[in-house]
Amino acid sequence: MGHGGNNVIPNVHFRKVNGCQSGRNNRVFMRTWLNQAGRKKRRANTRKEKAAKIFPRPSAGLLRPLVHPPTQRYNMKVRLGKGFTLDELKEANIPRKFAKTIGIAVDHRRRNRCTESLQANVERLKLYMSKLLLFPKKSGAKGVKKGDTPRSELQNVAQNTLKEIIPVPKPQKRIKARAITEEEKSESAYKKLKKARTAAHYQGERIKKAKEAAAKADS
């Protein structure tokens, strides 16, 4: 290496033991993971035990809403939130006290900032209610309450063992190529933007002239 520039000093990152750089002396710094397959089996058995314990309820727990994470860095993604808002439950015609008893998470602190998120979660609640089967709390004819599923439909009910009760929709990452239409060829994006910028620039003058014209007409 020459001395012409501000170069990095070479640094060999080997642990030296007794002046030897052999990998034989580095084994004390290595970590093995020999129980990976055993842990995988243990986790699978734990999931099965949990599902059997809470049968026939979904093994994923409570139904969660779809939310956008905070900050500009992550707000384009969609994930599961803490619970549904009171407005979402009201739009779906589900009482908030009743929602907690049928596996729906409720978060009274969350607010809906846009109509799109509100409608998306309302549709999620309606889909859940359309698939919901309510078991009577007690046996016998007197134990059946209004809204409970008939006993004839409760035979051989399959348990929902998905990681999420209703999966989060995955965005379509790839758009297939297609031919450009004649209408798209005839349109000009530049002209549209230019017209919108001009309208925004003169909007104040137009409002002022409209007010003056209205004042003259009244007088």
Side-chain angles (χ1 to χ4, degrees):
M1 183 180 72
H3 300 283
N6 184 17
N7 300 312
V8 179
I9 299 173
N11 184 13
V12 181
H13 296 282
F14 288 117
R15 294 285 185 175
K16 295 184 181 180
V17 180
N18 297 329
C20 177
Q21 293 186 4
S22 172
R24 179 179 59 191
N25 298 306
N26 291 333
R27 289 174 186 168
V28 68
F29 302 104
M30 297 178 184
R31 294 292 180 266
T32 58
W33 192 3
L34 303 177
N35 62 341
Q36 184 176 8
R39 284 190 177 184
K40 180 180 178 181
K41 187 175 181 180
R42 185 177 67 185
R43 289 195 300 268
N45 291 336
T46 304
R47 287 195 296 270
K48 289 178 183 177
E49 291 173 4
K50 178 186 174 183
K53 187 177 180 181
I54 64 173
F55 181 85
R57 290 173 289 175
S59 59
L62 301 176
L63 179 70
R64 307 283 178 181
L66 299 177
V67 298
H68 289 270
T71 71
Q72 190 177 6
R73 183 175 183 177
Y74 302 106
N75 61 7
M76 79 292 295
K77 298 181 180 181
V78 177
R79 64 169 174 83
L80 295 180
K82 179 181 174 63
F84 291 89
T85 63
L86 302 181
D87 291 335
E88 290 167 354
L89 294 172
K90 187 176 180 181
E91 285 288 327
N93 296 322
I94 303 173
R96 58 178 176 179
K97 290 184 178 179
F98 180 64
K100 296 179 181 179
T101 64
I102 57 174
I104 298 175
V106 181
D107 185 8
H108 67 277
R109 295 173 297 180
R110 210 181 111 237
R111 297 289 181 268
N112 292 106
R113 303 297 182 187
C114 64
T115 310
E116 289 80 2
S117 67
L118 174 68
Q119 293 300 324
N121 284 318
V122 168
E123 292 299 322
R124 187 174 174 85
L125 285 169
K126 289 180 178 179
L127 178 63
Y128 177 77
M129 294 299 293
S130 66
K131 298 177 180 292
L132 182 67
L133 297 176
L134 283 178
F135 282 67
K137 286 186 176 181
K138 299 178 182 179
S139 59
K142 294 183 179 179
V144 180
K145 291 185 178 180
K146 184 181 179 182
D148 291 347
T149 307
R151 295 186 188 278
S152 58
E153 299 179 15
L154 299 177
Q155 304 298 326
N156 301 322
V157 176
Q159 186 183 19
N160 188 335
T161 56
L162 297 175
K163 190 176 180 181
E164 300 155 355
I165 298 175
I166 301 177
V168 177
K170 293 183 179 180
Q172 188 178 1
K173 294 183 179 179
R174 189 172 182 178
I175 301 174
K176 292 184 179 180
R178 61 174 178 81
I180 301 173
T181 61
E182 292 296 329
E183 184 181 354
E184 290 172 343
K185 288 180 181 179
S186 61
E187 290 182 354
S188 173
Y190 171 76
K191 289 181 180 179
K192 284 186 178 181
L193 291 173
K194 179 68 176 176
K195 190 174 181 180
R197 282 196 296 267
T198 306
H201 181 75
Y202 292 105
Q203 185 179 7
E205 292 185 18
R206 289 197 185 99
I207 293 172
K208 185 179 179 181
K209 288 181 180 179
K211 287 182 178 178
E212 290 176 355
K216 288 181 179 179
D218 293 338
S219 62

